[in-house]
Amino acid sequence: MPAASRPATATEPIAAASAPGSPIALTSRRPVVPAERLVAEMVPPPRFSDVSFGTYIPDQAQPSQYEAVQVLEEFAGTLNSGNGSAPRRSWFRRGAPAPVGPAGIYLDGGYGVGKTHLLASLWHAAPGPKAFGTFVELTNLVGALGFQQAVQTLSGHKLLCIDEFELDDPGDTVLVSTLLGRLVENGVKLCATSNTLPEKLGEGRFAAADFLREIQGLSAHFRPMRIDGQDYRHRGLPDAPPPYPAAEVDAVAARTPGASLDDFDALLAHLAAVHPSRYGALLDDVTAVCLRGVHRVDDQSTALRLVVLADRMYDRELPVTASGLPFDQVFPEEMLRGGYRKKYLRAVSRLVALARDSARS
């Protein structure tokens, strides 16, 4: 398998296949994803399969972007030379000294400043074995393998890259804190991206004070780096493109091989019946997404599922053609001011970018 390509592991049959020449209905798909696929897919998404530090274009007005490239290149150098390797702790021997000092880099910054590009560049530059996944994919992996098996599997890696690091509930706080602590003890180096500094994770979502020890433990593993800048998806670009008429959405789906076509309401309801770890498989072989009747999403659980789907569509660079409401109006203002605001803003940024891709094509 090429280092940066996702495996073509097939899922079990997915309901009834679409008729030849007709659009795919995502609502007819119920993928079953084996744990082996979750492990094998821990590589950068296709959008970042060929990136490098050399292809990252820093904003000339933002010196923090130049500094981030330099720091990560040096970090990759320590991994390649072996100087950055911490003494590995024997699986059977307790009491071995833990590594001293931060075990990795934490990239904090706004949306679209290139954090994922830099994280993927580090992954490509580092020796294997190595793993790359979003925070959600990491927690899903633990759920699929079990905690001890996940620790054993990932402890064999030199580097773990975690994109979109977020803590949304106390259980995830304890789980990830414990997991990363065990991996650091076994010499695994870490790099993560987020829109929230590590000592602020969980703030505004739950009683963070009750979990302060765990949150501080997470922060101790990382050297934080702030990356400033404007969302590159918005640099000199217009706002969200206007929605298409419903008839045009149908026409685009009909003439685009591999396109999906669903009513927005039906798709949101279907997402509730599919585990978020399977949203990527839901999009297998899809080349474009067409949606009828996009509207405002007022239910928070539904909105968070839409965020995960938007991430998986963005990973796969799927243009989105939609009727109804523009994507920058999907989440109400009260949600954009709440504890999950960073997730919603990221989703808006990505959905708008995919809608622009559709308009260009």
Side-chain angles (χ1 to χ4, degrees):
M1 180 183 71
S5 63
R6 289 188 179 267
T9 307
T11 58
E12 292 184 7
I14 306 173
S18 301
S22 64
I24 297 165
L26 298 180
T27 51
S28 72
R29 294 183 155 194
R30 287 169 176 78
V32 176
V33 183
E36 294 77 14
R37 173 171 171 171
L38 295 178
V39 176
E41 287 188 336
M42 294 195 74
V43 299
R47 181 180 288 267
F48 300 101
S49 62
D50 298 315
V51 299
S52 67
F53 294 124
T55 61
Y56 179 76
I57 304 175
D59 186 337
Q60 294 184 0
Q62 303 294 341
S64 62
Q65 296 186 12
Y66 288 92
E67 181 186 5
V69 173
Q70 180 180 6
V71 169
L72 288 176
E73 284 186 317
E74 292 174 353
F75 187 59
T78 65
L79 293 171
N80 279 295
S81 68
N83 294 334
S85 299
R88 287 193 174 268
R89 173 176 174 262
S90 169
W91 184 255
F92 301 100
R93 197 182 65 198
R94 299 182 182 277
V100 177
I105 308 294
Y106 193 99
L107 303 176
D108 173 70
Y111 311 97
V113 297
K115 299 187 302 297
T116 302
H117 185 136
L118 289 171
L119 186 68
S121 298
L122 173 65
W123 188 91
H124 288 301
K130 53 194 174 180
F132 183 110
T134 65
F135 179 83
V136 171
E137 289 170 330
L138 180 62
T139 56
N140 288 337
L141 179 69
V142 176
L145 297 181
F147 182 81
Q148 294 296 342
Q149 184 60 41
V151 171
Q152 292 186 48
T153 298
L154 295 175
S155 289
H157 290 66
K158 295 181 183 296
L159 174 69
L160 172 62
C161 294
I162 311 167
D163 201 16
E164 300 159 12
F165 204 113
E166 296 268 356
L167 294 182
D168 299 325
D169 60 58
D172 280 349
T173 303
V174 176
L175 174 70
V176 174
S177 175
T178 307
L179 174 66
L180 296 187
R182 294 284 291 276
L183 295 180
V184 168
E185 287 177 353
N186 284 285
V188 181
K189 293 298 182 178
L190 310 172
C191 190
T193 73
S194 180
N195 305 306
T196 306
L197 285 167
E199 66 271 14
K200 300 295 185 181
L201 286 167
E203 203 170 75
R205 297 180 180 85
F206 53 83
D210 295 339
F211 295 88
L212 185 59
R213 177 176 58 82
E214 286 83 359
I215 293 171
Q216 287 176 336
L218 281 173
S219 179
H221 295 316
F222 298 100
R223 170 190 171 181
M225 286 201 66
R226 176 75 187 179
I227 304 178
D228 300 304
Q230 181 185 5
D231 187 335
Y232 78 90
R233 293 181 287 265
H234 296 168
R235 291 178 196 167
L237 296 174
D239 294 331
Y244 290 81
E248 179 61 19
V249 174
D250 291 350
V252 169
R255 67 174 180 257
T256 306
S260 67
L261 176 63
D262 294 273
D263 291 324
F264 191 60
D265 264 333
L267 181 59
L268 293 181
H270 184 61
L271 292 180
V274 178
H275 192 274
S277 66
R278 302 175 181 178
Y279 288 4
L282 195 69
L283 298 166
D284 281 355
D285 304 319
V286 173
T287 61
V289 173
C290 297
L291 298 171
R292 302 189 196 101
V294 172
H295 58 76
R296 196 173 79 167
V297 180
D298 295 307
D299 175 70
Q300 184 134 267
S301 296
T302 303
L304 290 172
R305 287 191 286 268
L306 179 58
V307 168
V308 178
L309 181 67
D311 287 340
R312 301 292 79 80
M313 291 191 299
Y314 185 78
D315 286 347
R316 289 156 176 78
E317 301 183 278
L318 300 178
V320 178
T321 304
S323 66
L325 203 65
F327 284 117
D328 57 1
Q329 299 177 33
V330 165
F331 303 113
E333 284 299 320
E334 54 267 29
M335 283 188 180
L336 297 179
R337 293 193 299 267
Y340 296 102
R341 65 183 301 272
K342 293 180 175 67
K343 285 181 178 289
Y344 296 137
L345 290 172
R346 183 183 76 235
V348 167
S349 176
R350 292 183 166 185
L351 288 169
V352 167
L354 296 176
R356 288 189 186 126
D357 289 344
S358 173
R360 282 194 293 267
S361 61

